[in-house]
Amino acid sequence: MRKLQLVIRLELLSRGGGDVPIWRVELPDMKIDRDPAADARIDISVARPRFNELAAEGQLEDWARAYERGDVKVTGDRAVIALLGNVIQRKRARV
């Protein structure tokens, strides 16, 4: 995935539902800006407390389980989502 060039719109949900911060994450450089990311190919929504846990200590397996449980929601370009899913499944199979 290091060669994959991708822009992600990351939405950090809060319990109060007030101001929802939206971040633009650009891969592979990991450029992160507080920007609406209009050019994003995929959107990721996750509750801020859960994101903080995953960002601090989460490995690929933790992120995959969070996605399977519905803690992390991914929408957008189906082809990109399928590609990421295949790459993640292969990586999980090797571990």
Side-chain angles (χ1 to χ4, degrees), residues 11-14 17-22 34:
E11 183 178 42
L12 299 178
L13 307 171
S14 63
D19 181 35
V20 177
I22 297 173
R34 187 148 184 191

Side-chain angles (χ1 to χ4, degrees), residues 8 11 18 20 24 27 30 39 43 46 55 68 79 81:
I8 299 168
E11 183 178 42
V20 177
R24 181 180 196 275
L27 301 175
M30 287 299 292
D39 58 339
D43 296 343
V46 61
E68 290 166 356
I81 294 170

Side-chain angles (χ1 to χ4, degrees), residues 22-76:
I22 297 173
W23 297 89
R24 181 180 196 275
V25 180
E26 191 174 336
L27 301 175
D29 301 331
M30 287 299 292
K31 271 181 60 178
I32 301 171
D33 296 308
R34 187 148 184 191
D35 180 77
D39 58 339
R41 300 288 302 272
I42 62 172
D43 296 343
I44 298 175
S45 297
V46 61
R48 180 180 285 279
R50 185 67 175 128
F51 174 80
N52 291 341
E53 290 172 15
L54 291 167
E57 300 172 16
Q59 300 296 315
L60 178 63
E61 190 63 31
D62 300 317
W63 280 91
R65 274 195 301 263
Y67 173 78
E68 290 166 356
R69 281 194 307 260
D71 295 341
V72 175
K73 294 179 180 37
V74 180
T75 58

